[in-house]
Amino acid sequence: MQQSFIFHNINRLIQGCGSISALPQEVARLGGKRVLIVTDPGLLRTGIPDRVVSLLAGTDVKVWSNVESDPSVESVDACARFVASEGIDLIIGLGGGSPIDTAKCASIIATNGGKTEDYLGIEKVPKPGLPKIFIPTTAGTGSEVTNVAVLSLKKLRTKKGIVSRYLMADCALLDAELTVDLPGRITAATGMDALTHAIEAYVSRFAQPLTDYFALEAIRRLSRSLRTAVHFGANLAAREDVLTASLYAGLAFGSAATGMVHGLAMPLGGLYNIPHGIANAVLLPHVMKFNLVAATARFADIARAMGEQIDGLSERDGAERAIIAVETLSADIGIPRYVDELGVARSGIPDIARDGMTNSRQILPNPREVTYDGLVGILNEAFSPVPLRSSQEPDGVLHA
């Protein structure tokens, strides 16, 4: 019997330069009368939220800008309380993954009650949330088209997720013009986040024909355009390509899931406050080396999608070119090579590996069997063979 597949998708997607102008019609279509824009302090300074407010002239609009980077469950609960106190009936998530994930969770708490922690896990949300529109201003998380929100549990120093069909957007608006002024270091980190989504989705045990298509296309677009977007951000064609790649990667991993790059990136974020995109980017080639023996043909496909000439090579040699291509792309856009460049000590490996073993949502899709010893091995390889001097600064992508 042929295997069957489930592909998760949103109801409505509007994409193209200038598509933000469609927002008033979408708010009206969804019956929004009291609207909350969820964003973060950094984006507030760009003026983009003010532009969105002006588009909604005549509608009662509030702005919640207290979103944290890698939002905690406490910060999401605070946003949900504001939603309730203001009688909000539609939520707009505006920004990167943090505002969008905050908006997702606030929408379900508004109708289901309780606290964010009540819904951690898979399909624990009983009923739909408030209508929600997501507008990404970074090109990386793909959160605007997924059924996942990832949150920090500060007391436990870890990160966990909510997975629910009720987190899906009622509409996503993707306008590359909103990403043009994104700093190069953030473009690099979010772009590598998208590449990680695409690669992990393609080698996932849960991969399917639709996710394969979107994953490989995302890899192609990022490989040809991310360098330009990082180093010449005004290039709108490159920005559009990278934003589309982020979208496609989101569509891929939204159904195929991610693997142990994410499974280890979450404890790096929870234990050491490493930004999610940077953690993924640094870990990616090291986890690829671990997984290569279990998905050799798929890694050869990835190498081709990244523009590597592998004709005439053995399948194994071709697969290894994918890792080289990722390492080269990372170096070209200023991503650190090793975990200790992020300020993490090698002595932290056991704690990171133990936390990683709790992330079943990443263990199950990973193409190679995951063990504690295997994770320790990945992490040992992910640290510089020559320890960094204490005075050495991590790569400028983190501080520029």
Side-chain angles (χ1 to χ4, degrees):
M1 181 180 295
Q2 185 176 5
Q3 185 178 0
S4 61
F5 304 101
I6 298 174
F7 184 77
H8 302 282
N9 201 3
I10 66 171
N11 292 327
R12 190 170 176 87
L13 173 69
I14 301 174
Q15 184 182 11
C17 291
S19 60
I20 189 67
S21 62
L23 181 60
Q25 291 77 26
E26 292 306 303
V27 169
R29 181 179 67 85
L30 293 169
K33 304 297 182 185
R34 295 178 64 83
V35 176
L36 180 65
I37 297 172
V38 178
T39 190
D40 60 59
L43 194 64
L44 202 62
R45 292 191 290 271
T46 70
I48 292 176
D50 290 337
R51 180 180 170 190
V52 172
V53 170
S54 68
L55 284 170
L56 298 176
T59 302
D60 187 356
V61 180
K62 307 289 184 184
V63 177
W64 175 270
S65 61
N66 297 328
V67 172
E68 300 173 320
S69 177
D70 295 323
S72 64
V73 292
E74 292 85 0
S75 71
V76 172
D77 286 342
C79 181
R81 288 193 296 270
F82 185 81
V83 169
S85 68
E86 296 294 328
I88 300 300
D89 59 19
L90 185 145
I91 299 178
I92 296 172
L94 176 67
S98 295
I100 292 175
D101 281 0
T102 299
K104 286 179 174 181
C105 297
S107 82
I108 60 170
I109 294 169
T111 58
N112 288 275
K115 294 184 177 182
T116 307
E117 285 190 74
D118 298 336
Y119 305 109
L120 293 172
I122 299 175
E123 295 298 347
K124 293 184 177 180
V125 183
K127 59 184 180 181
L130 293 177
K132 43 199 171 291
I133 298 172
F134 301 145
I135 307 171
T137 62
T138 66
T141 69
S143 186
E144 69 276 2
V145 291
T146 70
N147 62 347
V148 180
V150 178
L151 305 166
S152 295
L153 304 178
K154 289 185 175 180
K155 292 178 182 177
L156 299 177
R157 299 181 66 204
T158 190
K159 297 173 75 172
K160 298 297 176 186
I162 298 174
V163 181
S164 170
R165 60 190 181 277
Y166 297 132
L167 294 180
M168 299 292 279
D170 294 282
C171 177
L173 285 166
L174 280 76
D175 187 337
E177 291 179 354
L178 301 181
T179 71
V180 166
D181 294 325
L182 198 67
R185 63 188 176 86
I186 299 177
T187 302
T190 54
M192 290 302 294
D193 191 16
L195 183 65
T196 304
H197 293 153
I199 288 175
E200 292 210 285
Y202 190 67
V203 301
S204 168
R205 294 183 187 184
F206 303 151
Q208 55 172 283
L210 270 175
T211 63
D212 285 351
Y213 169 81
F214 285 119
L216 285 177
E217 186 61 22
I219 292 166
R220 290 187 190 98
R221 288 172 181 266
L222 289 163
S223 299
R224 74 192 182 200
S225 295
L226 182 55
R227 292 175 176 86
T228 302
V230 169
H231 295 296
F232 182 39
N235 186 313
L236 192 56
R239 291 288 192 182
E240 178 77 22
D241 218 19
V242 171
L243 184 61
T244 300
S246 174
L247 165 68
Y248 286 1
L251 290 170
F253 91 85
S255 294
T258 55
M260 285 315 295
V261 179
H262 279 72
L264 290 172
M266 287 199 286
L268 279 180
L271 293 169
Y272 298 99
N273 297 315
I274 306 300
H276 179 69
I278 291 292
N280 276 341
V282 174
L283 289 167
L284 178 58
H286 305 288
V287 178
M288 289 174 70
K289 290 174 186 176
F290 174 80
N291 282 332
L292 184 140
V293 294
T296 310
R298 294 228 147 200
F299 277 110
D301 293 340
I302 290 168
R304 288 191 186 91
M306 295 192 75
E308 294 293 309
Q309 299 300 317
I310 65 171
D311 291 345
L313 298 180
S314 68
E315 187 174 80
R316 174 63 180 259
D317 287 344
E320 290 178 346
R321 294 298 303 178
I323 299 168
I324 294 170
V326 168
E327 291 175 331
T328 302
L329 175 57
S330 288
D332 286 349
I333 60 177
I335 297 293
R337 184 169 183 177
Y338 295 110
V339 171
D340 40 345
E341 294 179 70
L342 308 178
V344 179
R346 188 180 284 270
S347 60
I349 287 177
D351 286 341
I352 299 168
R354 276 192 292 270
D355 195 317
M357 287 301 299
T358 70
N359 293 324
S360 60
R361 287 194 307 111
Q362 285 74 42
I363 289 173
L364 292 175
N366 198 73
R368 182 174 174 180
E369 182 180 357
V370 177
T371 65
Y372 172 80
D373 288 341
L375 297 187
V376 169
I378 292 170
L379 290 166
N380 272 315
E381 292 297 320
F383 278 79
S384 172
V386 179
L388 293 174
R389 298 188 305 274
S390 60
S391 61
Q392 240 177 295
E393 283 291 328
D395 193 280
V397 72
L398 296 175
H399 299 288

